[in-house]
Amino acid sequence: MWTPSSDWKISFNSYNSFTDDGNPTYNRRDAPDPFKVNLQREGFNNLSTNTQALKINYNSDALRVTSITARRFTTQDNVVPGDTGIQVIDNISSTLWTQELRLQSPDTADRFQWLLGAYYESRDFIVDDAQTEFFGFGTFRRTGNDNRQTYAVFGQVDYKAIAPLTLFAGLRYESSTAYSDSTYESVNANGSLTPLRPAFQDEKVSSDELIPRFGLKYEFNPNLMAYATIAKGYRPGGLNYRANSAAELRFGEEKTWSYEVGLKSTWLDNRLLANLSVFYNDVNNYQVLQFDESGFFGQINNVDLKATGVEFELNAKPTKGLDLIASIGYVDSRYKNYLNIDTGINLSDNRVPLAPQFTYNLAVQYRSSGGIFARAELRGYGITYFDDNNQIKQDPYAVVNARIGYESGKYGIYLYANNLFDTRYITSGFLFPPPIQTVGFGDPVTYGVQIRGSL
């Protein structure tokens, strides 16, 4: 970070990582031991990521200016072995460039605040060679080169109509264009390739949208505030490099209207915090990854869904250094109209995968003036489905985590135990090959030592 003057602040951040991981943690749902597999080939997953971000801030009595330039590059190689086949993913890479510029009212603005901005994004996604090998059937190969250019301008105003009431409204215009080249081929015994569909070259799809957001907040007193928001969400249409035909190549724009009301409060001289929110999301043309009758995903289908939920959180500080934390959430998310065009199965009113009906968290944390730190938490999850057919599910479960350590200034050492009671649960799942349920299991009980330090 560099501050050439009191008005300027310039910072640069970089993050670099490389993960050399072993075989992906998938197994049959009915495996006698979920953490033991019998494979003919060892799998691996190598993931390399590096990011850079340059942020420039200028603050004056008249306005604030912020510029953020960021880049992220990721490359991945992996082999996923299985009982019936081996999928080899060779050199998938992604490069993302973004530039955002914001002009906004100064920190001293009170009754009227404003913001104007512009955004640019360029994303390249390259699949150099993705192969799937089926024992006795052959090897199939895909390549893809996808690029997306996105431009946006946005603005928001906040106006305090009367002392307790603030109204706000925002509008964003976004334009996006996606380009794609892709192939799908079988690999012959001599290494030659046979096309399984015509190669897609210079395919293009464009979309644009106006995205509004508005709402209000009302402060009953310094410790109690109510709010309400209505906002539109948007994901542009695109091109699917895994398409098996021209009819499967394009998928449409996803649009969401979100409604939320809530209360935020503090009590007992800020020693007790309590928040409550209720929301409803109406999603049109949700972009869902669709699996066919053989268990493979290929098409991206557009379907409608709705989600209704409530969240409540409580944070208490009964004495110095002691925190009691509790939260609970409920969400009912269902497809409104979903016909799987590969299988012909009507999935309307099914629950949306990967959205637990209930979540809750209870935690006790203590940090003494002498440096002793201790924390215990209970995390719970309701029924969770992992496929659109709602055949693969995880019944309600809970895990307990604990941590104890010593902290001194910028340093700390800790002993921890995750999933203390060795609860068995799944974190992902799919039918492959149907009707076999192949799932990923959550980590068993894990003990460790952590040492941290900062400059």
Side-chain angles (χ1 to χ4, degrees), residues 81-226:
D83 293 337
T84 60
I86 296 177
Q87 178 163 321
V88 180
I89 300 178
D90 176 35
N91 194 19
I92 287 182
S93 63
S94 173
T95 305
L96 179 71
W97 281 96
T98 63
Q99 173 63 54
E100 182 172 342
L101 179 66
R102 297 197 300 262
L103 308 176
Q104 58 192 119
S105 52
D107 291 326
T108 55
D110 181 25
R111 189 168 183 180
F112 179 76
Q113 300 179 23
W114 56 270
L115 179 148
L116 294 173
Y119 177 80
Y120 168 74
E121 176 181 303
S122 174
R123 180 178 184 270
D124 286 301
F125 181 75
I126 300 174
V127 181
D128 184 63
D129 186 5
Q131 296 191 22
T132 304
E133 175 186 345
F134 292 99
F135 301 134
F137 291 94
T139 301
F140 304 90
R141 173 181 180 267
R142 295 182 187 270
T143 66
N145 188 344
D146 293 348
N147 172 268
R148 183 183 293 277
Q149 305 285 322
T150 301
Y151 300 87
V153 292
F154 55 89
Q156 179 170 315
V157 293
D158 292 48
Y159 177 65
K160 185 174 289 188
I162 55 177
L165 177 64
T166 300
L167 308 174
F168 57 87
L171 184 64
R172 177 186 177 98
Y173 173 75
E174 182 175 307
S175 177
S176 175
T177 302
Y179 307 87
S180 180
D181 301 329
S182 62
T183 63
Y184 180 33
E185 302 152 320
S186 63
V187 182
N188 303 317
N190 62 2
S192 61
L193 303 173
T194 300
L196 296 177
R197 62 154 170 82
F200 296 136
Q201 298 290 333
D202 300 322
E203 299 290 344
K204 175 183 175 182
V205 61
S206 298
S207 53
D208 63 280
E209 188 70 18
L210 282 171
I211 309 169
R213 176 179 181 267
F214 47 92
L216 58 86
K217 59 181 180 180
Y218 189 90
E219 296 184 1
F220 295 95
N221 56 59
N223 298 320
L224 179 62
M225 184 266 286

Side-chain angles (χ1 to χ4, degrees), residues 340-356:
N340 186 312
I341 53 182
D342 277 325
T343 65
I345 299 175
N346 189 345
L347 304 176
S348 300
D349 205 41
N350 280 16
R351 296 190 180 274
V352 179
L354 304 177

Side-chain angles (χ1 to χ4, degrees), residues 264-281:
K264 293 186 177 183
S265 65
T266 59
W267 308 86
L268 304 176
D269 197 23
N270 294 326
R271 288 187 297 162
L272 178 65
L273 177 149
N275 296 330
L276 173 69
S277 65
V278 180
F279 64 87
Y280 173 74
N281 295 335

Side-chain angles (χ1 to χ4, degrees), residues 2-10 57-61 107:
W2 179 41
T3 53
S5 70
S6 60
D7 293 337
W8 289 89
K9 181 184 293 184
I10 302 172
N57 289 99
Y58 172 75
N59 291 341
S60 72
D61 295 336
D107 291 326

